[in-house]
Amino acid sequence: MRDHLKAFLAYLKLNRHVSPHTVRAYQTDIEQYLAAIASETGKKMSQLLPADLDMESVRAHVADLNRAGKARSSVARKLSALRTFVKYLRREEIIEHDPAAMAVAPKRDQTIPTHLSEPEVARLIETPNTGDPLGRRDRAILELFYASGLRLSELVAIDLEDLNLGDRMVRVMGKGRKERLVPFNQSTLSAIRAWMKDRAGILACRRTTPAGRRGRGAEQDPLFINYRGTRLT
């Protein structure tokens, strides 16, 4: 089986243009399976024959990985590598059966997303250099993000007409083109007002009309712009 494995790895590299790192991962995963068969049959890996690859050996290998406490994602990856190898062997008519057909890949672990603590959020908001215009813009962006929970796509689409500074509200167009009003706090209001002065200065220097269109062709004034005076993307 060593020669078949070498041919398979060469196929991945030359025909499927798989990266060297991925090729090494395939080699490691498949050699681990072949080593398990060799240990079970009392043979050397070089003595293994295609017939030694059977359903029981695959099931036993997956069970051993689970007993060893391997992560579900790792077991699933190893089984996927083995299935790719088997598919190659069958296409080359080296084997007729599919030893991995009945093997069940474990469900991947569902990890709970992490979130920042309040002190971490405060440090993040204070990260931008408020000594320059774009730093004050970034401070306003972070303040609005934290206060409103907007998506990035919603935030960059905000135009001046969407803002109601007096009531501390912003109108956004969400998924399914559903419009909603989102409130924000006093610190966000202060950051936006500071940025509005810088925004006007940038536009005056660039002598440009903010880019970005929405609706039926009407010109829009994006709240957050880059140094060229155009809408952030």
Side-chain angles (χ1 to χ4, degrees), residues 6-220:
K6 289 180 181 179
F8 168 67
L9 298 175
Y11 161 77
L12 291 179
K13 181 178 180 181
L14 301 176
N15 293 74
R16 294 186 53 178
H17 307 290
V18 174
S19 70
H21 174 75
T22 303
V23 170
R24 287 194 297 271
Y26 271 101
Q27 181 177 359
T28 299
D29 291 340
I30 296 169
E31 283 183 343
Q32 187 176 7
Y33 165 65
L34 296 178
I37 298 178
S39 176
E40 182 67 24
T41 60
K43 297 180 180 180
K44 296 180 179 179
M45 284 180 58
S46 58
Q47 297 173 326
L48 292 177
L49 300 173
D52 292 318
L53 280 63
D54 56 27
M55 292 184 182
E56 289 302 321
S57 66
V58 174
R59 288 179 175 177
H61 182 54
V62 172
D64 288 342
L65 292 173
N66 289 326
R67 280 194 294 270
K70 298 295 183 182
R72 293 180 181 180
S73 58
S74 178
V75 176
R77 189 202 71 230
K78 292 176 182 295
L79 183 55
S80 176
L82 179 56
R83 282 175 170 158
T84 304
F85 181 46
V86 167
K87 184 177 179 180
Y88 165 81
L89 294 177
R90 295 186 69 191
R91 196 187 69 247
E92 295 297 313
E93 299 183 350
I94 297 168
I95 60 175
E96 295 181 357
H97 60 291
D98 184 354
M102 302 301 292
V104 179
K107 293 183 178 180
R108 295 184 181 272
D109 297 315
Q110 298 295 320
T111 56
I112 299 175
T114 58
H115 62 276
L116 299 178
S117 64
E118 287 191 19
E120 289 173 331
V121 170
R123 289 197 296 270
L124 177 63
I125 292 175
E126 294 171 358
T127 298
N129 178 14
T130 54
D132 64 73
L134 295 186
R136 287 189 287 273
R137 177 204 63 190
D138 293 344
R139 174 65 177 265
I141 287 174
L142 291 174
E143 288 276 11
L144 186 54
F145 256 140
Y146 180 58
S148 64
L150 294 178
R151 300 181 180 89
L152 177 60
S153 59
E154 294 172 339
L155 185 137
V156 298
I158 295 173
D159 294 309
L160 292 187
E161 67 177 20
D162 297 323
L163 278 177
N164 183 334
L165 297 181
D167 292 334
R168 300 206 305 265
M169 302 284 287
V170 60
R171 181 180 62 203
V172 297
M173 189 72 70
K175 289 186 175 180
R177 298 198 61 78
K178 292 183 179 179
E179 188 177 281
R180 70 185 191 279
L181 293 176
V182 179
F184 51 85
N185 55 23
Q186 182 62 44
S187 61
T188 302
L189 175 62
S190 299
I192 289 176
R193 281 180 168 165
W195 157 241
M196 293 282 283
K197 297 177 183 178
D198 297 312
R199 177 185 178 279
I202 291 174
L203 293 177
C205 292
R206 298 298 174 181
R207 296 181 180 179
T208 182
T209 301
R213 298 292 183 265
R214 188 178 64 182
R216 294 178 295 180
E219 290 188 0
Q220 302 294 332

